Amino acid sequence: MAMKVIVYDVGTTGLKACLFEVSAENGITYVASTVEDYSLQMLGGGAIEQNPDDWWTAMGRSTRQLLEKTGVHRDAIEGVSFSSQMQNVLMVDETGTPLRPCISWMDTRADQQFNRCMNTGLKVEGLNIRKTLKFLKITGAGSFGSKDPVWKYLWVRDNEPEIFQKAYKWLDAKEYLACRATGVMKASRDTAGATFLYDVKNDCWSRELCKMLGVEMRHLPEICASTDCVGGLLPQAAEELGLAAGTPVFSGGTDVSLCQIGAGCTEIGDVNVYSGTSGWVETTVGKLHTDIGNLIGTLPGADPTAYNYVAEVDTSGKCMEWVKDRLDLPEMSYPELDAYIKDVPAGNSGVVFSPWMHGNRCPFEDANARGMFFNLDLSTRGHDLVKAVIEGVCMHMRWNL
């Protein structure tokens, strides 16, 4: 009989639960899915947070809906795993209980911490030469912007010392959910790589980088493979999720590494263009590559034999959500939006949109970059603006490519 598994896609603004059947005869077969939304808290001053309980609640609701929809009994589920947003900072105590809300990957409050470390001394491309070279040698990329997680970690140290002292581990989104499910705190290699504290050649946290940046290694969880079983579902967690106690929980991977696999781009040189809340152009490579001038670097993948060479734009699909809401089209589906703009010629009659609605990463790093419409006139209509947003995102992806 086919093995039944559930995988959770832990996104920035929603969680999708998918049921698959796996068999030697038919490979992997999609069965059904459900989606639960949750919010981001925009706190001003660049601060953006999420309540990790919202992830867990969404995980439980989507699981129960999925089992009800398919008629599959909870005992038939032989494993669960994750694909997840990354570069978040969640400080937890020894029991895995969050000590504060999760600082989102979108958060830009840590300018002071970044500038104090990287905008000093002799520089290349505006970055400290010595520290940049050390990052590149050890990680294959580097923490070259204030949105990167290490600066948010240091922000907590500098601004919330009581919480910092109580902290037992720093976890990311799926690591928190796996911990809540099993009581075990581990981070997959691709999650570790996204912190830019991971020594890719020696498969461990870099003591040298932690010392350079002021990161306490006691806060870093044990590293595991994406395919490792973290543990079995604890009875309380199983009850809250609607699954059987003891169900194996596998670590899974980040959205960046698993999108590449899901798109079938597993061979060296394969390229994938992805658009979700954020977006990126990603190439599967067999060795480390870095383009410091365009701030494009290499991250470890879920596949331990390859790496992901990634150029990111921070807001991609999020721009589409924004323009739908601002033009009072929130009830219009995306296929309906396609029909809405189908007669608009390429080029939008000259209207241009820059898709930097929350700063940008590649090929330039600027947390303060912003979106704008250019070349509007009295003849500009709503569908011109929607088409301009789509083209602006696509042109930026082409730039990254």
Side-chain angles (χ1 to χ4, degrees):
M1 295 179 63
M3 176 187 297
K4 294 179 175 61
V5 298
I6 295 177
V7 179
Y8 302 96
D9 177 15
V10 188
T12 304
T13 55
L15 181 145
K16 177 186 285 185
C18 296
L19 177 65
F20 293 92
E21 290 185 344
V22 184
S23 69
E25 294 78 15
N26 300 316
I28 301 172
T29 304
Y30 165 80
V31 178
S33 64
T34 61
V35 178
E36 287 285 322
D37 295 329
Y38 38 72
S39 63
L40 286 166
Q41 284 76 53
M42 308 288 189
L43 305 178
I48 302 180
E49 298 181 349
Q50 282 191 309
N51 182 351
D53 285 341
D54 290 347
W55 303 333
W56 182 255
T57 300
M59 187 172 166
R61 285 178 178 170
S62 60
T63 303
R64 293 176 186 279
Q65 291 171 11
L66 197 59
L67 297 182
E68 183 178 351
K69 178 191 292 189
T70 60
V72 173
H73 191 272
R74 65 180 187 177
D75 292 341
I77 303 301
E78 298 187 55
V80 301
S81 191
F82 305 92
S83 169
S84 177
Q85 57 170 306
M86 62 180 190
Q87 295 193 312
N88 302 284
V89 175
L90 178 58
M91 309 302 285
V92 301
D93 64 17
E94 292 190 21
T95 68
T97 302
L99 296 170
R100 66 174 324 285
C102 176
I103 302 179
S104 169
W105 64 268
M106 298 180 71
D107 189 285
T108 61
R109 75 182 78 179
D111 279 342
Q112 183 180 5
Q113 286 69 29
F114 170 73
N115 290 330
R116 189 167 61 212
C117 182
M118 297 302 295
N119 283 344
T120 60
L122 293 175
K123 300 176 185 177
V124 56
E125 297 292 338
L127 301 167
N128 181 283
I129 293 177
R130 180 181 63 85
K131 294 174 181 177
T132 295
L133 292 176
K134 189 170 290 190
F135 266 125
L136 297 179
K137 177 184 177 182
I138 296 172
T139 71
S143 194
F144 300 147
S146 61
K147 289 184 182 179
D148 290 331
V150 67
W151 314 118
K152 300 165 192 176
Y153 166 90
L154 296 175
W155 184 93
V156 175
R157 182 198 66 183
D158 295 344
N159 293 274
E160 299 174 348
E162 305 87 356
I163 288 175
F164 190 83
Q165 287 304 315
K166 292 178 182 176
Y168 177 66
K169 295 296 179 187
W170 156 17
L171 301 179
D172 213 319
K174 73 177 180 66
E175 280 66 30
Y176 167 72
L177 292 173
C179 170
R180 187 152 177 178
T182 66
V184 179
M185 301 182 196
K186 291 185 177 182
S188 59
R189 290 188 184 93
D190 51 353
T191 295
T195 67
F196 305 115
L197 297 172
Y198 173 69
D199 185 333
V200 296
K201 295 177 182 177
N202 296 306
D203 187 23
C204 63
W205 296 110
S206 170
R207 189 171 299 275
E208 186 176 0
L209 286 177
C210 287
K211 182 178 179 180
M212 179 181 84
L213 299 170
V215 174
E216 298 188 19
M217 296 193 71
R218 67 185 178 92
H219 287 147
L220 302 175
E222 179 184 343
I223 295 174
C224 67
S226 292
T227 50
D228 282 354
C229 180
V230 177
L233 271 182
L234 297 172
Q236 179 66 31
E239 182 178 346
E240 293 173 3
L241 295 177
L243 294 171
T247 301
V249 178
F250 294 85
S251 181
T254 67
D255 49 10
V256 168
S257 61
L258 294 186
C259 278
Q260 198 72 349
I261 294 172
C265 296
T266 57
E267 300 296 325
I268 303 303
D270 285 350
V271 180
N272 175 35
V273 179
Y274 165 82
S275 180
T277 298
S278 61
W280 53 77
V281 179
E282 181 176 359
T283 302
T284 301
V285 294
K287 60 182 180 179
L288 300 180
H289 294 272
T290 305
D291 180 349
I292 189 64
N294 291 302
L295 295 167
I296 304 173
T298 311
L299 294 173
D303 177 358
T305 68
Y307 300 95
N308 302 312
Y309 187 54
V310 188
E312 183 187 5
V313 56
D314 270 349
T315 48
S316 177
K318 191 67 175 177
C319 295
M320 290 304 306
E321 181 182 72
W322 174 85
V323 76
K324 265 169 41 64
D325 290 344
R326 295 310 185 274
L327 291 180
D328 290 328
L329 304 172
E331 302 304 319
M332 186 177 286
S333 68
Y334 288 102
E336 289 170 337
L337 205 64
D338 289 340
Y340 178 64
I341 65 171
K342 70 181 178 65
D343 294 327
V344 180
N348 298 304
S349 303
V351 179
V352 177
F353 174 76
S354 62
W356 312 315
M357 302 297 284
H358 192 69
N360 189 61
R361 285 187 180 268
C362 306
F364 66 93
E365 174 78 43
D366 187 350
N368 297 311
R370 288 296 177 263
M372 67 174 291
F373 287 107
F374 175 75
N375 211 30
L376 304 179
D377 62 27
L378 293 175
S379 69
T380 302
R381 297 160 297 177
H383 53 214
D384 295 319
L385 301 180
V386 175
K387 186 73 175 285
V389 169
I390 294 174
E391 291 186 341
V393 171
C394 290
M395 288 299 289
H396 190 100
M397 291 292 199
R398 180 178 176 179
W399 190 9
N400 279 341
L401 178 63

